[in-house]
Amino acid sequence: MQDFIEAFLNIEIAREAAPILWQGLWQTLLLSVIVVPLGILGGIILALLSTVHSAWVRWPLRVWTDLFRALPPLVLLVFIYAGLPFAGLEMGAFGAVALGFFLNTGAYYGEILRAGIESIPRGQVEAARSTGLTRWQALSLIVLPQAVRNVLPDLVSNTLEVVKLTSIASVVALPELLFQARQAQSVTYNATPIVAAAVAYFILLWPVVRLLSRLENRQLAGR
């Protein structure tokens, strides 16, 4: 037991690694604050475009959505970070992560919001247009807010996954929490910094998990 504590729960090493872990945590928070809104924005765009009746819009949109949902985020991130410079596009680690998450998570948010839009009766669009609103105004002002409410648990669940997924940014040397924990581990030859990073993720995401549970229970109770 003493060996386990020394290897994984070493208080002294945790104290020494704390400054670098704090830097990584702030980088993770900054990354989350940027990539989550980017993903939601991409999802809204895709969801609204999915209501267009033209096959010239719907089929390319379907291919786009399926492509970025099927591609593993890690593969997409490595391709953007290492591949785009050969095309003359040097984005840096943070830019590559932001673009990769915009493409990947936007596709997932888009599918969630599309399902929400389809859950709203079409008569609401017609009623809104009878008041003088254009089709896009009816969709964005009347339908979309109701759609978001209908799929809010799914949106929160996906956001939870997005924040956890920021840990893959470590593969392109972006100094987020996991990357800094691995750096500290390589210096101390001890797994305590990784355990500390796991605790930090839990503290950060546990309120979101509880919120998700409440939303799911409320949704079940309303059925």
Side-chain angles (χ1 to χ4, degrees), residues 116-135:
I117 289 175
E118 291 181 352
S119 71
I120 306 300
R122 293 187 178 181
Q124 296 220 15
V125 176
E126 298 172 1
R129 294 196 65 182
S130 69
T131 65
L133 295 178
T134 65
R135 183 172 181 274

Side-chain angles (χ1 to χ4, degrees), residues 37-187:
L38 275 178
I40 292 175
L41 175 62
I44 291 174
I45 293 172
L46 292 175
L48 291 177
L49 287 176
S50 70
T51 65
V52 176
H53 299 301
S54 171
W56 294 101
V57 175
R58 294 175 66 90
W59 280 106
L61 188 68
R62 174 55 58 187
V63 172
W64 175 280
T65 301
D66 288 350
L67 172 65
F68 288 110
R69 290 179 69 199
L71 276 177
L74 183 59
V75 174
L76 179 62
L77 178 57
V78 172
F79 175 78
I80 292 173
Y81 180 74
L84 289 187
F86 287 97
L89 298 174
E90 186 69 49
M91 303 189 67
F94 200 97
V97 171
L99 177 59
F101 273 71
F102 173 76
L103 296 174
N104 179 261
T105 65
Y108 281 96
Y109 279 119
E111 281 298 284
I112 293 171
L113 290 169
R114 181 185 63 81
I117 289 175
E118 291 181 352
S119 71
I120 306 300
R122 293 187 178 181
Q124 296 220 15
V125 176
E126 298 172 1
R129 294 196 65 182
S130 69
T131 65
L133 295 178
T134 65
R135 183 172 181 274
W136 290 108
Q137 287 175 329
L139 284 171
S140 58
L141 299 177
I142 306 299
V143 174
L144 188 59
Q146 296 181 75
V148 169
R149 186 174 66 249
N150 288 349
V151 296
L152 189 56
D154 297 313
L155 290 174
V156 174
S157 178
N158 195 66
T159 300
L160 182 67
E161 295 302 318
V162 171
V163 176
K164 289 191 291 185
L165 202 60
T166 58
S167 61
I168 70 170
S170 61
V171 302
V172 295
L174 187 68
E176 47 74 56
L177 181 57
L178 180 59
F179 179 85
Q180 297 291 64
R182 291 172 62 186
Q183 291 291 98
Q185 181 190 25
S186 67
V187 172

